[in-house]
Amino acid sequence: MAGVESSLWQKIIQQVVASGGNIIRPWFTALEPISLEYGLLEILVPGRKEQEYCRKHATRMFNEAAQAATGRLVSVCFLTSAEEANGVAGDEAPAAGEGEFETEPAAFSLNPRYTFGDFVIGPCNRLAHAACVAISESPGKTYNPLFLHGSVGLGKTHLLQAACGKVQLDNPQAQIMVLSCETFVNHFINAVEKGQLHEFRYRYRHADVLAIDDIQFLSDHEQTQEEFFHTFNTLYQSQKQIILTSDRGPGEIPALQSRLVSRFNWGLVARIDRPCYETRVAIVHKKSRLRSIELPEDVTCFIAATIDSNTRELEGAIAKVAMLAKVADRPIDLAVAEEALGAAPVPTRREVTVEDILTAVTSRFNVRLADLQSKKRSRSIAFPRQICMFLARNLTRHSLEEIGGYFGGRDHTTVLHAHRTIEGVAHSDPQFQATLEAISKEIQAKA
């Protein structure tokens, strides 16, 4: 009995016999435990028919018996001798029938367009890109978990899939799970309804890489959060790579258990910001080449100046321009681009820098630049420093880590705390709110 003590197995069988009633079959005496690890008890059954019977009629009974005997959350998986010999269990689809664990194969496929080579790197995403490259080369050992967050269309999914694609290319045998949080939630609900939690847990807890997109949708799903907590722990302790994306930082996801927030912060949290003008120009160049669309330089600059939100919008703008030119049988030029996007070129303006903010704040509050970048914590220094961090997050493209670096190498959590503090003071003090707005206008006017 590998991994299962004889006394423990006896307790489980006694509990099964006591509660089994007419479910018990004579061949139950031939059942043998294989192993108990990662919260999964594997049980050897005589053959395929017995396996199907146990999955259909005895799963809940054995689950309850195993949990009562161990005092822990345990689920069972029934294997035939052939499956045991081949090392096959829940990672392959069970035999067709009522015990089958349904999956959505399309949810686990990687998009071949999402590669590192097709990703445009800029100040807004350099940290996230470098982290994804690092984990793809050494999964589970560099940054684990890796938590990417930012607004929609900024490349979170692209980087997530690029990292998984690189791992798969280097190690074709790796078990990689790439899916949306909604799919994970639906799989869990389906498994609970059909009494197939053992297959669900085996599938997710034996992955080499688990990548979940839009993890913020765990919000308000208490049972799923509980299940994901244990899945996270199992993978983390086994040094398996976890990659998560969200539209906000871990601490900003509403109704998320504090222990999950803590674990999401264990590795590296990397924010992706909106691309600056130069990065947008590079994105338009790259995306148009991938679509085999020839864009004149003035059209490229026009699109980059007009669309300042995200990569997805830039791709949509390229498609609109190309489509209008094709339908109207006209060459792609500035006039076509203006007609397609319905906007005149936006004059390029110098972006606000952290130096602009420091100049305005030091002048307004009569503090020295060296003090703002020092470790001093007196209120006369700390409060203006927090204002600088607040303005830097609102007026610049810099990531939280980059902003913290300007102020004595502070980390992203310090910047988040500063932002929340200043936001709270402004909300409760109209006079301070007016001062803050005046400083912002002064900075932007000089940019």
Side-chain angles (χ1 to χ4, degrees):
M1 292 189 304
V4 183
E5 296 178 359
S6 176
S7 58
L8 178 60
W9 177 242
Q10 287 299 322
K11 288 181 182 179
I12 294 172
I13 290 297
Q14 288 171 6
Q15 175 74 14
V16 167
V17 171
S19 60
N22 59 7
I23 295 178
I24 303 297
R25 292 292 182 268
W27 48 264
F28 270 29
T29 56
L31 299 177
E32 294 180 8
I34 300 171
S35 66
L36 174 58
E37 58 180 351
Y38 305 122
L40 183 71
L41 171 61
E42 294 182 339
I43 299 175
L44 182 66
V45 295
R48 180 69 69 182
K49 289 183 179 179
E50 289 82 359
Q51 180 187 51
E52 291 177 5
Y53 178 89
C54 286
R55 283 176 171 168
K56 184 176 181 180
H57 301 289
T59 297
R60 180 177 298 177
M61 180 174 62
F62 272 89
N63 279 342
E64 292 173 353
Q67 291 172 19
T70 61
R72 294 184 289 126
L73 186 63
V74 178
S75 60
V76 299
C77 181
F78 300 98
L79 306 178
T80 63
S81 56
E83 289 173 339
E84 182 197 13
N86 294 327
V88 176
D91 56 333
E92 291 189 8
E98 291 187 47
E100 186 174 8
F101 176 59
E102 296 177 2
T103 61
E104 299 173 23
F108 304 107
S109 60
L110 294 172
N111 189 328
R113 293 175 53 222
Y114 289 159
T115 66
F116 288 129
D118 289 341
F119 189 81
V120 178
I121 307 167
C124 55
N125 56 34
R126 186 169 286 114
L127 175 64
H129 175 269
C132 285
V133 171
I135 65 171
S136 70
E137 295 173 346
S138 183
K141 298 176 182 178
T142 310
Y143 304 113
N144 199 25
L146 175 61
F147 191 103
L148 306 177
H149 70 101
S151 189
V152 297
L154 296 181
K156 303 185 298 296
T157 301
H158 189 139
L159 286 176
L160 176 147
Q161 293 216 18
C164 291
K166 178 69 162 54
V167 173
Q168 190 175 64
L169 186 65
D170 294 343
N171 182 12
Q173 303 304 316
Q175 296 293 322
I176 300 175
M177 305 286 286
V178 183
L179 68 160
S180 68
C181 184
E182 181 183 12
T183 299
F184 182 85
V185 171
N186 290 338
H187 280 184
F188 176 67
I189 293 172
N190 183 58
V192 171
E193 289 177 346
K194 296 189 175 182
Q196 298 168 352
L197 277 174
H198 52 286
E199 280 97 347
F200 175 89
R201 286 170 179 155
Y202 196 95
R203 178 180 295 277
Y204 284 101
R205 297 182 189 185
H206 285 72
D208 295 306
V209 178
L210 176 61
I212 298 186
D213 212 1
D214 293 323
I215 197 67
Q216 73 271 10
F217 289 116
L218 272 184
S219 178
D220 295 326
H221 292 280
E222 292 185 11
Q223 281 189 295
T224 311
Q225 287 187 40
E226 179 77 19
E227 182 64 32
F228 185 75
F229 172 77
H230 294 293
T231 297
F232 182 102
N233 285 346
T234 299
L235 293 174
Y236 184 83
Q237 290 164 10
S238 303
Q239 290 190 309
K240 305 301 184 182
Q241 184 65 53
I242 303 166
I243 313 172
L244 307 170
T245 73
S246 172
D247 63 359
R248 66 203 77 181
E252 299 172 333
I253 300 175
L256 186 67
Q257 294 176 5
S258 58
R259 58 183 180 173
L260 280 177
V261 174
S262 172
R263 278 158 177 76
F264 291 172
N265 282 306
W266 274 358
L268 176 66
V269 177
R271 174 177 168 177
I272 302 179
D273 293 303
R274 291 196 304 171
C276 63
Y277 173 74
E278 290 77 11
T279 304
R280 296 199 301 273
V281 170
I283 291 171
V284 174
H285 275 303
K286 172 82 74 173
K287 298 301 181 181
S288 59
R289 282 199 301 270
L290 289 174
R291 290 172 172 263
S292 300
I293 298 173
E294 294 289 336
L295 292 182
E297 190 62 25
D298 59 346
V299 173
T300 297
C301 294
F302 171 79
I303 293 174
T306 304
I307 309 296
D308 65 353
S309 50
N310 58 58
T311 302
R312 199 170 296 158
E313 294 288 339
L314 288 170
E315 287 190 272
I318 295 169
K320 285 181 183 178
V321 172
M323 185 179 297
L324 178 61
K326 183 176 181 180
V327 170
D329 195 22
R330 294 162 57 186
I332 296 178
D333 55 21
L334 189 57
V336 168
E338 290 177 6
E339 187 176 339
L341 303 183
V346 176
T348 303
R349 186 176 68 178
R350 184 177 72 83
E351 293 196 355
V352 172
T353 66
V354 175
E355 287 74 17
D356 295 332
I357 294 169
L358 288 169
T359 300
V361 173
T362 52
S363 174
R364 173 77 62 145
F365 291 92
N366 195 27
V367 293
R368 297 187 308 161
L369 174 60
D371 288 335
L372 291 179
Q373 296 179 320
S374 71
K375 301 295 183 182
K376 294 180 180 179
R377 296 185 178 181
S378 62
R379 179 168 174 77
S380 61
I381 302 299
F383 192 64
R385 182 189 294 133
Q386 289 178 324
I387 292 175
C388 287
M389 292 180 181
F390 173 87
L391 293 171
R393 192 180 183 200
N394 286 358
L395 301 180
T396 75
R397 309 286 191 188
H398 292 298
S399 68
L400 296 176
E401 288 77 10
E402 290 170 332
I403 294 171
Y406 275 93
F407 298 94
R410 289 169 167 83
D411 63 22
H412 69 279
T413 57
T414 303
V415 180
L416 274 176
H417 173 71
H419 191 274
R420 290 171 186 153
T421 299
I422 298 304
E423 223 172 25
V425 174
H427 182 71
S428 60
D429 186 345
Q431 186 174 351
F432 176 71
Q433 173 73 37
T435 300
L436 202 59
E437 290 176 357
I439 297 174
S440 298
K441 288 179 182 178
E442 176 188 334
I443 293 169
Q444 290 173 310
K446 293 180 179 179

